Amino acid sequence: MARFHLPLSNDLETAYRAVGMYLVGQYLRFKTAQDSDFNLNGLINIYDELHEINIAIAQRLKDSGVVTEVNALVMLDLFAQGISNSIEDRLPEFDYLFSAYTAQDR
């Protein structure tokens, strides 16, 4: 997602980008006959692993006496956890954007 970073994006925009990027990757895996995850389980795992990395980095910073950066990392991690915890819950907020595409009689 860094390649298409959007500064100052809110959590809904970030969730959209995270899900979109993940699904594009899964589609490309599908097209090359690799295992694909269209249920977003792997995306949730990615955010869980990111949380573990953030905890380890924060601990190393704390141990070195760097407080300001620890606080910034904690805030970033809370934002990432919010995305991870709400991916499934936030997806219905995008339904209206795709209503013409997902209509049953299309």
Side-chain angles (χ1 to χ4, degrees):
M1 286 180 30
R3 172 65 176 87
F4 297 102
H5 176 67
L6 295 176
L8 307 174
S9 59
N10 64 34
D11 62 335
L12 186 61
E13 293 163 335
T14 301
Y16 185 86
R17 286 179 48 245
V19 170
M21 291 291 291
Y22 185 78
L23 290 175
V24 167
Q26 294 307 306
Y27 174 75
L28 295 173
R29 290 179 59 84
F30 171 77
K31 292 296 285 181
T32 58
Q34 297 179 58
D35 289 339
S36 308
D37 169 35
F38 293 104
N39 292 320
L40 305 178
N41 295 324
L43 180 59
I44 293 168
N45 289 338
I46 288 169
Y47 273 98
D48 289 344
E49 290 173 0
L50 178 62
H51 175 63
E52 294 299 319
I53 292 168
N54 286 342
I55 289 171
I57 292 171
Q59 187 60 51
R60 290 185 77 177
L61 289 170
K62 183 180 172 189
D63 292 345
S64 69
V66 181
V67 176
T68 305
E69 286 80 356
V70 172
N71 292 338
L73 184 59
V74 167
M75 294 302 293
L76 180 64
D77 187 55
L78 287 172
F79 187 70
Q81 282 182 331
I83 298 299
S84 175
N85 293 335
S86 68
I87 287 172
E88 294 277 339
D89 296 335
R90 301 302 300 263
L91 288 179
E93 293 182 49
F94 302 121
D95 285 350
Y96 79 96
L97 297 171
F98 298 94
S99 61
Y101 182 72
T102 59
Q104 291 294 328
D105 58 352
R106 188 185 126 117

